[in-house]
Amino acid sequence: MLPLSSSPTGRKGPGDLLAEPVLYWVARGRSVIEVDGHGHPVHAGTALWVAGGRRIRVLLGRSDVLVPLPGIGRGESVRTATFAIPTSWHPWLLHAFGKALGYLDGGSSRALLEQMLAAASTRDPGPSAPPHPVSADLVALAESIVSDSSASVAELARTHLVGWTPRTLQRRFASETGLTPEKWARQQRMAQAADLLAEGNDILAVAHAVGYATASGFSRSFREQTGMSPGRWRSRTISRASVGHPADAPSAAELPAQRTWPRVNGSHVAVWALQGRSVLTIGGRNLRLDAGSTAVIPAGLPNSIRIPQGSLVLPLGFRLGRDGGIGAPVSAGTTLPGEQIDLIQAAVMAYTTMRPHDIGRTTGFDIAYSRGVYDAATLEDDAIATLASGLASGEITDTALGGCAHWLGMQERDLSRTIRDRTGLTFTQWIRLARMSRARAKLHGGEPASAISRLLGYAHLPAFSRAFREVHGASPQRLVSPLDSGGEVGRWQRDVSDRIRRWRAETPRAG
């Protein structure tokens, strides 16, 4: 269960661009989502769909619950749209949210949600937004193109890509998007224009907003892409206040089966079973999770969860392993009636950027931990949790038995015995599982396999790939899609890594 990110401000900054489409579901309260500077109030029971490439800022109140679902498209549509969300959608949306966090293998509900959103839309889709680049240099250029519509692509490239030749820029940009930078900019600006026109804005104002000096020049470009004038296209669209009404979702009993990959967490992770019956395996011991159950997985202990069809499990939050060990759960905790929406908020706060600024980061974890029964924590639990935390953070550079024992201040034979007794694995098996868990987290954060291979000390990428495949059953390239690493999930993962580094700096390890 990978700890991803939460924003201390409860909003995305004004400079953030969506790397992929996102469906924002308001489960409680009323949020305001600014899309390219235009506010969209969204209340409980509705969702706002926003295309990739848009600039997003989210405003949340303390009790608001906003669930972001990245990667859900609507065909060729680029128009921001509001949808009523039937109650039957709730388990499917939460299933998709859990899948988006990157810790689950198995069936996805994304395709179903995309089909149902597309079927509910009656609007003209307008010009399509271009695919977003994924490399850091070109992402910076793309963001500058969107934010500074008055500047030419060539001027922006000279500012952001010092030393790049025009040929290199054209080749790299085309390889990542299929378009030249100039065509990408034109298509992106026409997609933005379509959204502004759909809101009833004046054509000249829209032209200026997307970098055209005159309405006639803008109209020519718009007609080239859509086959109609801006005025005619605007007259055929529905205003942003209209709401699509998707059909009811299939029964929650049809939710696809999922599982987590075998892993060793660097943090203690709280999990919550919303429905069905799942099985949590920790260090060879099975714990049944019925609907409403919670449990905390101790840092450093090998674990996995089997989630059958019709069942649903979400992570609630985490606490650093270096803060102290905890014993393995003996029995699961139980949630209280009416508590579900607060736990959904806790899960979203812990793993995304959607967090009101005045709610603690460990709310969900604290609730789950207080409800269960656990073995008494021992010095061995402290040692394993601290070691797993050090490995996950990269503080430990020598991962041999001697290096790890020295870092902990233990004898090698004592550490080897502790690992074997508490996890059922040899030190070699345990360290490989811990390192590959770290590798998977970094893949979801957008780091290339070659860089991770070097970081973990592998002389050659094929050797790293073999070790990764032995643990996860798939190569690094197959396990993580480009959107997982380059999209919103990758952004969340990188954000939480920064947060954890700050927490460690604030609380140095004793000894």
Side-chain angles (χ1 to χ4, degrees):
M1 209 76 65
L2 300 179
L4 301 182
S5 77
S6 63
S7 165
T9 63
R11 65 185 70 180
K12 295 179 73 67
D16 283 346
L17 293 177
L18 294 181
E20 56 186 319
V22 178
L23 180 70
Y24 293 97
W25 166 41
V26 179
R28 183 175 66 192
R30 180 181 181 276
S31 304
V32 175
I33 303 175
E34 293 183 359
V35 182
D36 292 335
H38 297 269
H40 296 260
V42 191
H43 58 80
T46 61
L48 186 74
W49 182 88
V50 184
R54 299 297 197 230
R55 190 182 303 281
I56 295 293
R57 184 168 179 254
V58 176
L59 308 177
L60 293 176
R62 192 178 195 279
S63 63
D64 296 339
V65 180
L66 180 65
V67 183
L69 300 160
I72 296 178
R74 290 178 55 230
E76 293 298 312
S77 178
V78 298
R79 293 264 323 284
T80 300
T82 303
F83 295 91
I85 299 297
T87 303
S88 63
W89 275 56
H90 294 183
W92 291 89
L93 291 171
L94 292 172
H95 186 276
F97 173 71
K99 180 70 173 179
L101 294 181
Y103 67 92
L104 288 169
D105 187 18
S108 171
S109 49
R110 178 186 296 180
L112 171 69
L113 296 175
E114 289 179 341
Q115 292 169 7
M116 298 183 73
L117 287 177
S121 176
T122 59
R123 305 182 212 181
D124 191 314
S128 60
H132 216 66
V134 295
S135 64
D137 289 334
L138 295 185
V139 166
L141 175 61
E143 291 180 350
S144 68
I145 290 173
V146 175
S147 62
D148 189 357
S149 57
S150 62
S152 70
V153 172
E155 291 172 349
L156 295 172
R158 283 193 293 270
T159 300
H160 293 276
L161 302 174
V162 177
W164 285 46
T165 66
R167 178 172 180 153
T168 298
L169 171 60
Q170 298 286 327
R171 177 177 55 79
R172 286 280 305 278
F173 208 94
S175 69
E176 294 188 22
T177 68
L179 299 168
T180 66
E182 292 76 16
K183 288 183 178 179
W184 188 93
R186 187 160 54 249
Q187 190 171 333
Q188 176 68 28
R189 288 165 180 167
M190 289 303 101
Q192 290 177 287
D195 210 27
L196 295 173
L197 288 168
E199 295 172 352
N201 288 290
D202 177 77
I203 292 175
L204 180 59
V206 173
H208 290 166
V210 296
Y212 285 81
T214 65
S216 58
F218 164 67
S219 296
R220 282 194 301 273
S221 294
F222 193 88
R223 189 179 292 108
E224 287 174 2
Q225 289 211 22
T226 66
M228 67 182 75
S229 69
R232 184 184 173 199
W233 187 86
R234 181 180 58 185
S235 69
R236 290 179 53 179
T237 62
I238 302 175
S239 72
R240 73 178 184 185
S242 62
V243 178
H245 292 272
D248 283 340
S251 167
E254 299 180 36
L255 291 173
Q258 297 177 315
R259 67 179 179 90
T260 62
W261 288 281
R263 64 204 188 281
V264 165
N265 300 320
S267 299
H268 310 298
V269 179
V271 295
W272 168 39
L274 286 75
Q275 66 180 51
R277 178 176 293 174
S278 301
V279 177
L280 168 61
T281 301
I282 302 176
R285 180 194 296 181
N286 291 334
L287 180 66
R288 194 175 77 183
L289 297 177
D290 295 320
S293 297
T294 62
V296 172
I297 304 170
L301 294 189
N303 63 89
S304 63
I305 306 178
R306 298 193 304 277
I307 309 171
Q309 179 177 323
S311 298
L312 184 58
V313 175
L314 288 179
L316 287 177
F318 59 95
R319 193 182 77 192
L320 300 184
R322 67 179 296 168
D323 291 345
I326 65 173
V330 176
S331 62
T334 303
T335 56
L336 303 177
E339 197 171 34
Q340 186 178 71
I341 192 66
D342 291 324
L343 294 178
I344 292 173
Q345 183 188 47
V348 173
M349 289 191 307
Y351 293 90
T352 81
T353 56
M354 303 295 108
R355 179 167 67 87
H357 71 278
D358 55 350
I359 300 182
R361 63 177 174 84
T362 63
T363 299
F365 179 94
D366 295 340
I367 291 173
Y369 186 60
S370 67
R371 304 284 171 78
V373 177
Y374 300 86
D375 289 332
T378 65
L379 292 176
E380 287 79 9
D381 292 320
D382 285 339
I384 291 175
T386 302
L387 182 61
S389 182
L391 289 166
S393 66
E395 293 177 78
I396 300 175
T397 55
D398 182 357
T399 58
L401 176 60
C404 291
H406 177 76
W407 190 81
L408 282 172
M410 295 178 65
Q411 296 293 322
E412 291 184 26
R413 64 178 180 275
D414 293 335
L415 176 58
S416 180
R417 184 181 64 251
T418 295
I419 294 291
R420 184 178 62 251
D421 292 347
R422 304 300 282 182
T423 71
L425 302 176
T426 66
F427 177 82
T428 299
Q429 293 170 328
W430 183 87
I431 200 73
R432 184 180 66 172
L433 185 55
R435 296 173 78 205
M436 291 304 109
S437 297
R438 183 188 182 201
R440 184 164 55 81
K442 287 191 167 294
L443 283 168
H444 281 290
E447 296 189 33
S450 57
I452 298 170
S453 173
R454 291 191 297 270
L455 178 68
L456 296 183
Y458 286 88
H460 304 288
L461 180 59
F464 164 70
S465 297
R466 282 194 300 272
F468 191 92
R469 189 181 296 108
E470 288 173 2
V471 170
H472 295 109
S475 68
Q477 293 76 14
R478 289 187 58 189
L479 189 64
V480 181
S481 72
L483 275 184
D484 288 335
S485 58
E488 293 304 294
V489 173
R491 192 201 304 263
W492 297 344
Q493 177 65 52
R494 293 187 293 273
D495 285 348
V496 86
S497 296
D498 292 339
R499 247 188 327 128
I500 289 175
R501 280 194 289 270
R502 290 197 299 271
W503 296 341
R504 288 195 174 94
E506 293 167 1
T507 56
R509 186 174 67 94

